Amino acid sequence: AKPLVTLNFHHILAKLNVAVKTVSGFTSDIIVKNITITGLNDTGEYTDATGWTSSSVDAGYKLQYDDATGAVLSDKATYFIESLIMPQEMDGKLTLVYEIKSGSYTETYTYVVDIEDVFSLYTSFDKESNYTITFTIDPTNDAIKFEANAATWEEK
């Protein structure tokens, strides 16, 4: 009989996902045009003895979804970024650009957030871990609220 071999597999990377959805019943189209994550370490060296070392950030490195046509959202989460990353501190920025289209009128919105603010309970991306950021765009819940009034000018 052949001896059994036990193979233990461990991920040495972390996984970072970004998903976006909207609320059901919203009649206008919400279209994701761009999602960009910058400020992540992109180079390093791994050994079993010491783990990850020599990590650095290249200013040009980014994780990105970019589509001029864009993707129309539904109330089911759509994943735009699914990427393996090196374990590292939660530095960096995430920028989400989307449009709301109603008939012939289109409004573009840009949302920027520090990644460390998204994961308030964590300070770093750890190996063997899967991190997902899900944005819910809800224009029916006072996403943008402003008041306008008019008054006459006073003569001086």
Side-chain angles (χ1 to χ4, degrees), residues 39-104:
L40 296 177
N41 292 347
D42 67 322
T43 59
E45 184 176 310
Y46 180 85
T47 64
D48 285 336
T50 59
W52 284 99
T53 57
S54 304
S55 297
S56 66
V57 178
D58 178 343
Y61 177 70
K62 60 188 168 187
L63 303 178
Q64 185 173 42
Y65 164 83
D66 191 25
D67 187 340
T69 303
V72 178
L73 296 180
S74 72
D75 60 350
K76 305 286 189 258
T78 300
Y79 283 76
F80 290 90
I81 293 177
E82 294 181 84
S83 184
L84 296 174
I85 61 172
M86 293 185 320
Q88 58 191 279
E89 296 297 312
M90 284 192 179
D91 294 327
K93 293 202 179 299
L94 187 149
T95 303
L96 167 64
V97 179
Y98 65 95
E99 295 176 345
I100 298 178
K101 186 173 185 178
S102 180
S104 62

Side-chain angles (χ1 to χ4, degrees), residues 85-124:
I85 61 172
M86 293 185 320
Q88 58 191 279
E89 296 297 312
M90 284 192 179
D91 294 327
K93 293 202 179 299
L94 187 149
T95 303
L96 167 64
V97 179
Y98 65 95
E99 295 176 345
I100 298 178
K101 186 173 185 178
S102 180
S104 62
Y105 181 74
T106 300
E107 186 76 31
T108 301
Y109 299 91
T110 301
Y111 181 77
V112 180
V113 64
D114 288 329
I115 290 177
E116 62 208 27
D117 292 339
V118 174
F119 294 103
S120 60
L121 299 177
Y122 304 96
T123 58
S124 63

Side-chain angles (χ1 to χ4, degrees), residues 9-68:
F9 179 81
H10 296 280
H11 285 281
I12 61 170
L13 297 171
K15 186 175 181 191
L16 178 57
N17 311 296
V18 179
V20 188
K21 65 180 182 174
T22 187
V23 293
S24 61
F26 187 67
T27 58
S28 299
D29 285 341
I30 299 177
I31 304 162
V32 173
K33 304 294 258 181
N34 181 286
I35 299 173
T36 304
I37 298 174
T38 57
L40 296 177
N41 292 347
D42 67 322
T43 59
E45 184 176 310
Y46 180 85
T47 64
D48 285 336
T50 59
W52 284 99
T53 57
S54 304
S55 297
S56 66
V57 178
D58 178 343
Y61 177 70
K62 60 188 168 187
L63 303 178
Q64 185 173 42
Y65 164 83
D66 191 25
D67 187 340

